[in-house]
Amino acid sequence: MYSFRNDYSEGVHPKVLQALTDTNLEQSVGYGMDPRCDTARATIRRLCSAPNADVHFLVGGTQTNLIVIESLLRPYEAVIAAHTGHVNVHETGAIEATGHKVCTVYAPDGKLTPELVESVVKGHSSEHMVLPRLVYISDTTELGTIYTKAELTALRACCDKHGLFLFLDGARLGSALTSPENDLTLADLAALTDAFYIGGTKNGALFGEALIMNAANDHFRWHMKQRGAMLAKGRLLGIQFQTLLEDGLYFDIARHANEMAFRLRDGIAALGYPFPVPSPSNQQFPVLPNTVVRQLNEMGYEFEIDHADGNDHTCVRFVTSWATPEAAIDRFLQDLAACK
Amino acid sequence: MYSFRNDYSEGVHPKVLQALTDTNLEQSVGYGMDPRCDTARATIRRLCSAPNADVHFLVGGTQTNLIVIESLLRPYEAVIAAHTGHVNVHETGAIEATGHKVCTVYAPDGKLTPELVESVVKGHSSEHMVLPRLVYISDTTELGTIYTKAELTALRACCDKHGLFLFLDGARLGSALTSPENDLTLADLAALTDAFYIGGTKNGALFGEALIMNAANDHFRWHMKQRGAMLAKGRLLGIQFQTLLEDGLYFDIARHANEMAFRLRDGIAALGYPFPVPSPSNQQFPVLPNTVVRQLNEMGYEFEIDHADGNDHTCVRFVTSWATPEAAIDRFLQDLAACK
Amino acid sequence: MYSFRNDYSEGVHPKVLQALTDTNLEQSVGYGMDPRCDTARATIRRLCSAPNADVHFLVGGTQTNLIVIESLLRPYEAVIAAHTGHVNVHETGAIEATGHKVCTVYAPDGKLTPELVESVVKGHSSEHMVLPRLVYISDTTELGTIYTKAELTALRACCDKHGLFLFLDGARLGSALTSPENDLTLADLAALTDAFYIGGTKNGALFGEALIMNAANDHFRWHMKQRGAMLAKGRLLGIQFQTLLEDGLYFDIARHANEMAFRLRDGIAALGYPFPVPSPSNQQFPVLPNTVVRQLNEMGYEFEIDHADGNDHTCVRFVTSWATPEAAIDRFLQDLAACK
Amino acid sequence: MYSFRNDYSEGVHPKVLQALTDTNLEQSVGYGMDPRCDTARATIRRLCSAPNADVHFLVGGTQTNLIVIESLLRPYEAVIAAHTGHVNVHETGAIEATGHKVCTVYAPDGKLTPELVESVVKGHSSEHMVLPRLVYISDTTELGTIYTKAELTALRACCDKHGLFLFLDGARLGSALTSPENDLTLADLAALTDAFYIGGTKNGALFGEALIMNAANDHFRWHMKQRGAMLAKGRLLGIQFQTLLEDGLYFDIARHANEMAFRLRDGIAALGYPFPVPSPSNQQFPVLPNTVVRQLNEMGYEFEIDHADGNDHTCVRFVTSWATPEAAIDRFLQDLAACK
């Protein structure tokens, strides 16, 4: 019927596709050094109020995470992440494959705090242990939660105190920044982090992540090339981000995704199903009886299983996107109401 | 005026763009497990007469090279490559970054032979040295030369004798297989190599390489994920390769690129400029006086410098593509004739 | 006064020193290929009832751990370890530096069980996660606890069921095998693990670990050389292990270390200080008031702080060795009794 | 009869053994932080006129080479070495295993020059290539040749010009500094290199290399630990180097090794056998008829084969050491004279 499996189940937003079509036969130099990428970089610097930031375009999230981290750390340095952090669980050891340990700490809502960060720092005191050096967070988190400006400011202060880099994975940054609970801006992120990225893959692009780097890193393109992350036709990325960002399309479509998620959430909640961790963004995690899960699957609905909740219930994940039609939500809610 | 800098200066072949547009709002699972990728895999297996081969889609060439190599080798094993090999010079140490040495041997025309391979094998005899284990070649080579069936068969026999993998980088495979001097087929490549790839980036795709793997490698997708090479919207790759390969478009447009290259070569040669290493493919390497190079640049022509040839001459590289119009060649030749 | 800091505070057992002196001017080939190493390897195979095992001599524990693990694993494979495991905490990310993730699980007494191992295995189900492939344990553990034959047999069965390697770090194996609670033999270890080592550094050698490898690993010496672990004068290791093992010296001196530890433990307990995790081996972990810790330090006693236990108490670690004199224990206990 | 295979065929110089024996039961902290190591570090700083240098003790040469290099380089940076360099050929890819390419250049006598270094630098001009960043040399070289002060000064100037580190492998530094052709001192080496080491393994120690590091590298001990290079009983290294260096023993015994090498060389030359690359140090490379090589082997003489020189001759390597008796040389020369 409909897939709530992810926010990259469809292709690309039609306006972005049109921009790619319009520029298809332009000749340009490769590897992101073309005028289209220059324009997009200028737009991003402007939106971030960060005229001196380095902006790089990469193809995907795991790639971006591993290159940012290995480019900032020395071999004996390590990452601090929540136990749910994408780099810890869902990237097949990509960070460790670059030689770096990921030190994890249990974070009930998927968010790191200064206290959690300091608990890791304090446990690493000598040359017989790694040196924690970079705090990895994501906004939204793996649980759909988001950071407030106060929280991010406190993390920044903690990082300054302990000489840590702060890196924010923005694969779902559109959903975070358009959440009703959000009070952060792109300029805040540029001011408070050493590096963060604006995720395209999960918000309307064919693919692509726009990385904003404040930390000195003057050979970042060498790192990109070495890790196979320099797209030959680099301008594909510039064109996409320029189209998404030049007049707010990126945020408009993210807001749509959130609204569809809330419509879904409210409809499910109205049927009496609980949401143990409240999410103000485009991922929703209700707990459903296993019998209901089975009926939904049989009807053709697709979604991911998060975890078993006892023997009879399952916590599932529904994700909405820029492309999710309101009608699909309403149809789903009708079908869910009909489950026994 | 025109850029002969590379074969990825433009976007994507219009038929491929149309296919992407037509399927844009289809929902599918990610990471290359969708029906579009399945169809493309089936097409490739059929064209390769290799019903049991593993077929994987990756985004770019460096990425493919590094993952194939690290997936096949144990830590103490090494690559054998020509001194001009792409993995040796032009990938910022991507292979070494996975822990593997690249053992090089001088190959005047960019092609490895059994004798050259054996000279490397013989030099590595104990546990105090790396163990050469994989022969890396490309077709076309960095110099535009191509392998014959007899040459590739001899390399295969050499690899069998010494227990070596044979891996063929096909970033420009379209140009190689449609060269007038070629006698190899996709089925030959599948039969003679342990792994090879059909390059999309340099022959009409937005991006993408289709890897055909015969060597046992049952966790290849783990390697892809770990290296950040699993495209979220994987079907983009399936759709592109299916469109290019289902009825010969890939070869038709590669043939066009070659014909444009020969038209260019013949016109340049008619003006008396030499080509030290003859190339039967879409890269041509004439030697021009530096004064001519300067005039061409001033007119707006773009191309790469290969190397200085004495104090007064330069060996340059011209590359043609599926998108190169005949008129651009003719205009260039007129302009070249006018240079003093 | 006396250092209970570690079991490698002194040099080498006098008999081993004599053997090194006696053979000092013999000429031999390097890198462990000499007759002295051959003899020691034969002795070890005999003691292990493992005529076909590979035996390698390495210089230290971290080196051995990292090479065994990287030699057995493919890049996407990972280690399962207790949260207290030496490879997790105390080796500065040595395992991750070879590219492999260490997946940890909380083990209150430092020992892994089939249930704990399976909880990690179950959490890793797809190509988006690492593949746990090797169980790392140590005997004794970091907490001084030891494995029984029943426990190790159960772990072996669990590993067989899930296709896992079982690797036992025996840095303190002498203390474990001579513990009054032990029922394992070297032959049991050879039969139940894929690899384990007999630690020399912490039991009477100048340095050195003797690795017994049952898993097929025919290029292990290549791994050793690549990691800088092949000692030029390799026979130093053969001579030491032959002297320690040929007629039981290794076990005699380990038993002494244990007896000194129990004398210390009993004396401390008699003064009313608790030992939260009971240890049947040469590491003892009492909880002392901070005032007592300070007085002991002022008297010149050395020992490591394990962790703070509330605001007023500290869990400390006392380690005894082959070289610890009974008189040092008794003197310490007198001094401890005098603390206020 | 006698082994000229290497300079580490015997154990340890008797004075060093005596020092180890005398201090055997001293208790000390581990990992090189003990007073014996402090004393040796002070001695080395004094001999090097380098009061601020960092001095570290490591177990062996490959280990030292790989850790120095990985500690100084960023992932995209590479080593420049002669094609004969130990790190290129004889370390099983240890440098590449840390992720770094070794860029080689042909050096007939095994020595790098500014011209050779610059030829590598010039060939690496963009982010698509590695960035050469460290020049690796050894004194003596693999061919027994040595650097003069003028040559090393010129290399230093070249490194300064191009922003390169200069690292000197001193595995056979004793032989180099006591060569009749040498005009370098330890103080010169400390002034002209970023890092170098005084080799113990090949000049009278049981094992060990003393690294002098001028380049800022404040977490070097983290690198050592991570690579398994921190010896538990670190004072073994301090005691050895203090004994060797406190009153010149290191140089006295190296001079003996050289004198034995020259006696051997002169005797062989007097019999009419050529030495294609003249060596002023303890490795000598004559060319002998294969029939003579065979007879020497049958008599029980051991030495390494360097390379075949045509069908009938072989270039062999003879190495002398602190332990080589004059009588062994004379006996050998008699036996060689008797060969037909």
Side-chain angles (χ1 to χ4, degrees):
Chain A
M1 275 316 187
Y2 194 77
S3 171
F4 294 103
R5 187 184 291 279
N6 229 315
D7 30 18
Y8 42 90
S9 299
E10 294 89 0
V12 60
H13 191 278
K15 282 197 188 166
V16 179
L17 183 55
Q18 190 59 49
L20 290 170
T21 303
D22 292 345
T23 57
N24 188 46
L25 289 182
E26 281 180 10
Q27 282 195 313
S28 65
V29 297
Y31 306 116
M33 303 309 277
D34 62 281
R36 297 286 178 180
C37 283
D38 289 342
T39 301
R41 275 189 280 264
T43 297
I44 289 170
R45 286 194 193 96
R46 179 175 51 79
L47 291 173
C48 291
S49 304
N52 299 315
D54 285 328
V55 178
H56 301 281
F57 300 111
L58 295 102
V59 171
T62 299
Q63 188 183 80
T64 307
N65 288 337
L66 79 89
I67 297 174
V68 168
I69 289 171
E70 67 94 11
S71 77
L72 289 173
L73 299 190
R74 302 286 294 131
Y76 53 86
E77 295 178 337
V79 175
I80 300 174
H83 74 292
T84 51
H86 205 259
V87 294
N88 184 42
V89 185
H90 287 100
E91 299 190 348
T92 318
I95 307 309
E96 290 85 355
T98 68
H100 299 285
K101 191 177 187 73
V102 178
C103 301
T104 58
V105 60
Y106 180 71
D109 60 357
K111 292 162 65 177
L112 287 182
T113 63
E115 292 68 35
L116 293 174
V117 168
E118 288 183 345
S119 73
V120 177
V121 169
K122 278 178 195 158
H124 292 82
S125 54
S126 83
E127 64 222 20
H128 297 271
M129 302 169 185
V130 292
L131 186 70
R133 187 79 160 89
L134 180 146
V135 171
Y136 166 90
I137 58 174
S138 67
D139 196 25
T140 69
T141 70
E142 293 293 302
L143 304 181
T145 51
I146 67 170
Y147 284 88
T148 64
K149 186 167 178 178
E151 290 167 342
L152 197 63
T153 303
L155 268 181
R156 172 76 269 168
C158 170
C159 288
D160 286 343
K161 183 175 166 191
H162 297 289
L164 304 171
F165 292 111
L166 180 56
F167 169 43
L168 186 147
D169 170 339
R172 289 196 173 94
L173 191 61
S175 179
L177 294 189
T178 58
S179 168
E181 298 185 8
N182 174 66
D183 62 353
L184 283 163
T185 63
L186 286 177
D188 292 333
L189 296 178
L192 292 170
T193 70
D194 294 290
F196 77 100
Y197 60 96
I198 304 173
T201 300
K202 294 177 178 168
N203 194 34
L206 273 180
F207 58 84
E209 319 296 315
L211 174 68
I212 294 88
M213 178 83 75
N214 294 302
N217 208 341
D218 60 359
H219 285 83
F220 192 78
R221 287 175 60 80
W222 273 254
H223 291 278
M224 287 176 62
K225 176 72 183 187
Q226 187 177 71
R227 302 293 170 174
M230 212 181 264
L231 191 68
K233 301 182 182 180
R235 66 180 181 133
L236 296 178
L237 291 159
I239 292 164
Q240 293 187 84
F241 277 100
Q242 177 64 9
T243 307
L244 286 167
L245 291 169
E246 64 190 340
D247 50 16
L249 177 63
Y250 184 82
F251 299 102
D252 294 341
I253 65 180
R255 201 171 288 114
H256 171 81
N258 283 348
E259 285 165 5
M260 291 304 100
F262 304 151
R263 188 176 187 93
L264 185 67
R265 175 195 63 194
D266 295 346
I268 294 171
L271 293 169
Y273 299 117
F275 290 74
V277 179
S279 159
S281 67
N282 76 323
Q283 299 178 85
Q284 296 294 330
F285 298 85
V287 171
L288 301 178
N290 295 349
T291 51
V292 170
V293 170
R294 211 169 305 123
Q295 291 172 73
L296 291 172
N297 284 335
E298 284 164 7
M299 291 181 213
Y301 287 107
E302 294 182 20
F303 46 85
E304 289 201 351
I305 302 303
D306 196 72
H307 62 272
D309 185 357
N311 289 330
D312 301 328
H313 290 75
T314 301
C315 180
V316 301
R317 185 182 76 156
F318 292 106
V319 191
T320 55
S321 84
W322 62 272
T324 307
E326 199 171 291
I329 304 289
D330 294 343
R331 173 73 184 276
F332 171 81
L333 290 173
Q334 283 176 20
D335 287 339
L336 177 62
C339 288
K340 308 152 217 172
Chain B
M1 276 319 184
Y2 194 78
S3 171
F4 294 104
R5 186 185 290 278
N6 229 315
D7 30 18
Y8 43 89
S9 299
E10 292 89 0
V12 59
H13 190 277
K15 282 197 188 166
V16 179
L17 182 55
Q18 191 58 50
L20 290 170
T21 304
D22 292 345
T23 58
N24 188 46
L25 289 182
E26 282 180 9
Q27 282 196 314
S28 65
V29 296
Y31 306 115
M33 303 310 278
D34 62 282
R36 297 286 178 179
C37 284
D38 288 343
T39 301
R41 275 190 279 264
T43 298
I44 289 170
R45 286 195 193 97
R46 179 174 53 76
L47 290 173
C48 291
S49 304
N52 299 316
D54 285 328
V55 177
H56 302 281
F57 300 111
L58 295 103
V59 171
T62 298
Q63 188 183 79
T64 307
N65 288 337
L66 80 88
I67 297 173
V68 168
I69 289 171
E70 68 94 11
S71 76
L72 288 173
L73 299 190
R74 302 286 295 131
Y76 54 86
E77 294 177 337
V79 175
I80 300 175
H83 74 292
T84 51
H86 205 259
V87 293
N88 184 43
V89 185
H90 287 100
E91 298 189 348
T92 318
I95 307 308
E96 290 85 355
T98 68
H100 299 284
K101 191 178 188 70
V102 179
C103 301
T104 57
V105 59
Y106 180 71
D109 59 357
K111 292 161 64 177
L112 287 182
T113 62
E115 291 69 34
L116 293 174
V117 167
E118 288 182 346
S119 72
V120 176
V121 169
K122 278 179 194 158
H124 292 82
S125 53
S126 83
E127 66 222 18
H128 297 271
M129 302 169 187
V130 292
L131 187 68
R133 187 76 160 91
L134 180 146
V135 172
Y136 167 90
I137 58 175
S138 66
D139 197 23
T140 69
T141 70
E142 293 294 299
L143 304 181
T145 52
I146 68 170
Y147 284 87
T148 64
K149 186 166 179 178
E151 288 167 344
L152 197 64
T153 304
L155 269 180
R156 174 75 269 168
C158 170
C159 287
D160 287 344
K161 182 175 165 192
H162 296 289
L164 305 170
F165 292 112
L166 181 56
F167 170 42
L168 186 146
D169 170 339
R172 290 196 172 95
L173 192 61
S175 179
L177 295 188
T178 58
S179 167
E181 298 185 6
N182 174 66
D183 62 353
L184 283 164
T185 64
L186 285 177
D188 292 334
L189 295 178
L192 292 171
T193 71
D194 294 290
F196 77 100
Y197 60 97
I198 303 173
T201 301
K202 293 176 178 169
N203 194 34
L206 273 180
F207 57 85
E209 321 294 317
L211 174 68
I212 294 88
M213 178 84 73
N214 294 302
N217 207 341
D218 60 358
H219 284 83
F220 192 78
R221 286 175 59 81
W222 273 254
H223 290 279
M224 286 177 62
K225 177 72 184 187
Q226 187 178 71
R227 302 292 171 173
M230 212 181 264
L231 191 68
K233 301 182 181 179
R235 66 181 181 134
L236 295 179
L237 291 160
I239 292 164
Q240 291 188 86
F241 277 100
Q242 177 63 11
T243 307
L244 286 167
L245 291 168
E246 66 190 340
D247 49 18
L249 177 62
Y250 184 82
F251 298 104
D252 294 342
I253 65 180
R255 202 170 287 112
H256 171 81
N258 282 348
E259 284 164 5
M260 292 304 100
F262 304 152
R263 188 176 187 93
L264 184 68
R265 174 194 65 194
D266 295 346
I268 294 172
L271 294 169
Y273 299 116
F275 290 75
V277 178
S279 159
S281 68
N282 76 324
Q283 298 178 87
Q284 296 294 330
F285 298 85
V287 171
L288 302 177
N290 294 350
T291 51
V292 169
V293 170
R294 212 169 303 124
Q295 290 173 72
L296 292 172
N297 284 335
E298 284 165 7
M299 291 182 214
Y301 288 108
E302 295 182 18
F303 46 85
E304 288 200 351
I305 302 303
D306 196 72
H307 62 273
D309 185 357
N311 288 330
D312 301 328
H313 289 75
T314 301
C315 180
V316 300
R317 185 182 77 156
F318 292 106
V319 190
T320 56
S321 84
W322 63 272
T324 307
E326 199 171 291
I329 304 289
D330 294 344
R331 174 73 185 276
F332 171 81
L333 290 173
Q334 282 174 21
D335 287 338
L336 176 62
C339 288
K340 303 154 222 174
Chain C
M1 276 318 185
Y2 194 78
S3 171
F4 295 103
R5 187 184 290 279
N6 229 315
D7 30 18
Y8 43 90
S9 299
E10 293 89 1
V12 60
H13 191 277
K15 283 196 187 167
V16 179
L17 183 55
Q18 190 59 49
L20 290 170
T21 304
D22 292 345
T23 57
N24 188 46
L25 290 181
E26 281 180 11
Q27 283 195 312
S28 65
V29 296
Y31 305 116
M33 304 308 277
D34 62 281
R36 296 286 178 182
C37 284
D38 289 342
T39 301
R41 276 189 278 264
T43 297
I44 289 170
R45 287 193 193 96
R46 179 175 52 78
L47 291 173
C48 292
S49 304
N52 299 316
D54 284 328
V55 178
H56 301 282
F57 300 111
L58 295 102
V59 171
T62 298
Q63 188 183 79
T64 307
N65 288 338
L66 79 89
I67 297 174
V68 168
I69 288 170
E70 67 94 12
S71 77
L72 289 174
L73 299 190
R74 302 285 295 130
Y76 53 86
E77 295 178 338
V79 174
I80 301 175
H83 74 293
T84 51
H86 205 259
V87 293
N88 184 42
V89 185
H90 287 99
E91 299 191 346
T92 318
I95 307 308
E96 290 86 354
T98 68
H100 299 285
K101 192 177 187 70
V102 179
C103 301
T104 57
V105 60
Y106 180 71
D109 60 356
K111 291 162 64 178
L112 288 181
T113 64
E115 292 67 35
L116 293 174
V117 167
E118 288 182 345
S119 72
V120 177
V121 169
K122 278 178 195 158
H124 292 81
S125 53
S126 83
E127 64 222 21
H128 297 271
M129 302 170 186
V130 292
L131 186 70
R133 186 77 159 88
L134 179 145
V135 172
Y136 166 90
I137 58 175
S138 66
D139 197 24
T140 69
T141 71
E142 293 293 301
L143 305 181
T145 52
I146 67 170
Y147 284 88
T148 65
K149 185 167 178 178
E151 290 167 342
L152 197 64
T153 304
L155 268 181
R156 172 76 268 167
C158 170
C159 288
D160 287 343
K161 182 175 166 192
H162 297 289
L164 304 170
F165 292 111
L166 180 56
F167 169 43
L168 186 147
D169 170 339
R172 289 195 172 95
L173 191 60
S175 179
L177 295 189
T178 58
S179 168
E181 299 185 6
N182 174 66
D183 61 354
L184 283 163
T185 64
L186 285 177
D188 292 333
L189 296 178
L192 292 170
T193 71
D194 294 290
F196 77 100
Y197 60 96
I198 304 173
T201 301
K202 294 176 178 169
N203 194 34
L206 273 180
F207 57 84
E209 320 295 316
L211 174 68
I212 293 89
M213 178 83 75
N214 293 304
N217 208 341
D218 60 359
H219 284 84
F220 192 78
R221 286 175 61 79
W222 272 254
H223 291 277
M224 287 176 63
K225 176 71 183 186
Q226 187 177 71
R227 302 292 171 173
M230 213 182 263
L231 190 68
K233 301 182 183 179
R235 66 179 182 135
L236 296 178
L237 291 159
I239 292 164
Q240 292 186 86
F241 277 100
Q242 177 64 10
T243 307
L244 286 167
L245 292 169
E246 65 190 340
D247 50 16
L249 176 63
Y250 184 81
F251 299 103
D252 293 342
I253 65 180
R255 202 170 288 113
H256 171 81
N258 282 348
E259 284 165 6
M260 293 303 101
F262 304 152
R263 189 176 187 93
L264 185 67
R265 174 195 64 195
D266 296 345
I268 294 172
L271 294 170
Y273 300 116
F275 290 75
V277 179
S279 159
S281 67
N282 76 324
Q283 298 177 86
Q284 295 295 329
F285 298 85
V287 171
L288 301 178
N290 295 350
T291 51
V292 170
V293 170
R294 213 169 304 125
Q295 290 173 73
L296 291 173
N297 284 335
E298 285 164 7
M299 290 182 214
Y301 287 107
E302 296 182 18
F303 45 85
E304 289 200 351
I305 302 303
D306 196 72
H307 62 271
D309 185 358
N311 289 330
D312 302 328
H313 290 75
T314 301
C315 181
V316 301
R317 185 182 76 156
F318 293 106
V319 191
T320 55
S321 84
W322 62 273
T324 307
E326 199 171 291
I329 304 289
D330 293 344
R331 173 73 186 275
F332 171 80
L333 290 173
Q334 282 175 20
D335 287 339
L336 177 61
C339 288
K340 308 151 219 176
Chain D
M1 275 318 185
Y2 194 78
S3 171
F4 294 104
R5 185 183 293 277
N6 230 315
D7 30 17
Y8 42 90
S9 299
E10 292 90 359
V12 59
H13 190 278
K15 282 197 188 167
V16 178
L17 182 55
Q18 190 58 50
L20 290 170
T21 303
D22 291 346
T23 58
N24 188 48
L25 289 182
E26 280 180 11
Q27 283 195 313
S28 65
V29 297
Y31 306 116
M33 304 309 277
D34 61 283
R36 297 288 178 179
C37 284
D38 289 343
T39 302
R41 276 190 278 265
T43 298
I44 289 169
R45 287 194 193 97
R46 180 175 50 79
L47 291 173
C48 291
S49 303
N52 300 317
D54 284 329
V55 178
H56 301 281
F57 300 111
L58 295 103
V59 171
T62 298
Q63 188 182 79
T64 307
N65 288 337
L66 79 88
I67 297 173
V68 168
I69 289 171
E70 68 93 11
S71 76
L72 289 174
L73 299 190
R74 301 286 295 131
Y76 53 86
E77 294 178 336
V79 175
I80 300 175
H83 73 293
T84 50
H86 205 259
V87 293
N88 184 43
V89 186
H90 287 99
E91 298 189 347
T92 318
I95 307 308
E96 289 85 355
T98 68
H100 300 285
K101 191 178 187 71
V102 178
C103 301
T104 58
V105 60
Y106 180 71
D109 60 356
K111 291 162 65 177
L112 287 181
T113 63
E115 291 69 34
L116 292 174
V117 168
E118 288 182 345
S119 72
V120 176
V121 169
K122 278 179 194 158
H124 292 83
S125 53
S126 84
E127 65 222 19
H128 297 271
M129 303 170 188
V130 292
L131 187 68
R133 188 76 158 89
L134 179 146
V135 172
Y136 167 90
I137 58 175
S138 66
D139 197 23
T140 69
T141 70
E142 294 293 301
L143 304 182
T145 52
I146 67 170
Y147 283 88
T148 65
K149 186 166 178 179
E151 289 167 343
L152 197 64
T153 304
L155 269 180
R156 173 75 269 166
C158 169
C159 287
D160 286 344
K161 183 175 165 191
H162 297 289
L164 305 170
F165 292 111
L166 180 56
F167 169 41
L168 186 148
D169 170 339
R172 290 196 172 94
L173 192 61
S175 179
L177 295 189
T178 58
S179 167
E181 298 185 6
N182 174 66
D183 62 353
L184 283 163
T185 64
L186 285 177
D188 291 334
L189 295 178
L192 292 170
T193 71
D194 294 290
F196 77 100
Y197 60 97
I198 303 173
T201 301
K202 293 176 178 170
N203 193 34
L206 273 180
F207 57 84
E209 321 295 317
L211 174 68
I212 294 89
M213 178 83 74
N214 293 303
N217 208 339
D218 60 358
H219 285 84
F220 193 78
R221 287 175 59 81
W222 273 254
H223 290 278
M224 286 176 62
K225 177 71 183 187
Q226 187 178 70
R227 302 293 172 172
M230 213 181 264
L231 191 68
K233 301 183 182 179
R235 66 182 181 134
L236 296 178
L237 291 159
I239 292 164
Q240 292 188 86
F241 277 100
Q242 177 63 10
T243 307
L244 286 167
L245 291 168
E246 65 190 340
D247 50 16
L249 177 62
Y250 184 81
F251 298 104
D252 294 342
I253 65 180
R255 202 171 288 114
H256 171 81
N258 282 348
E259 284 164 6
M260 293 304 100
F262 304 151
R263 189 176 187 95
L264 185 67
R265 174 195 64 193
D266 296 345
I268 294 172
L271 293 169
Y273 298 116
F275 290 74
V277 179
S279 159
S281 68
N282 76 324
Q283 299 178 84
Q284 295 295 329
F285 298 85
V287 171
L288 302 177
N290 295 350
T291 51
V292 170
V293 170
R294 211 170 304 123
Q295 290 172 72
L296 291 172
N297 284 335
E298 285 165 7
M299 290 183 216
Y301 287 108
E302 296 182 17
F303 45 85
E304 289 200 351
I305 301 303
D306 196 73
H307 62 272
D309 185 358
N311 288 330
D312 301 328
H313 290 75
T314 301
C315 181
V316 301
R317 185 182 77 156
F318 292 105
V319 191
T320 56
S321 85
W322 63 273
T324 307
E326 199 172 292
I329 304 289
D330 294 342
R331 174 72 184 276
F332 171 80
L333 290 173
Q334 282 175 20
D335 287 340
L336 177 62
C339 288
K340 305 152 219 177

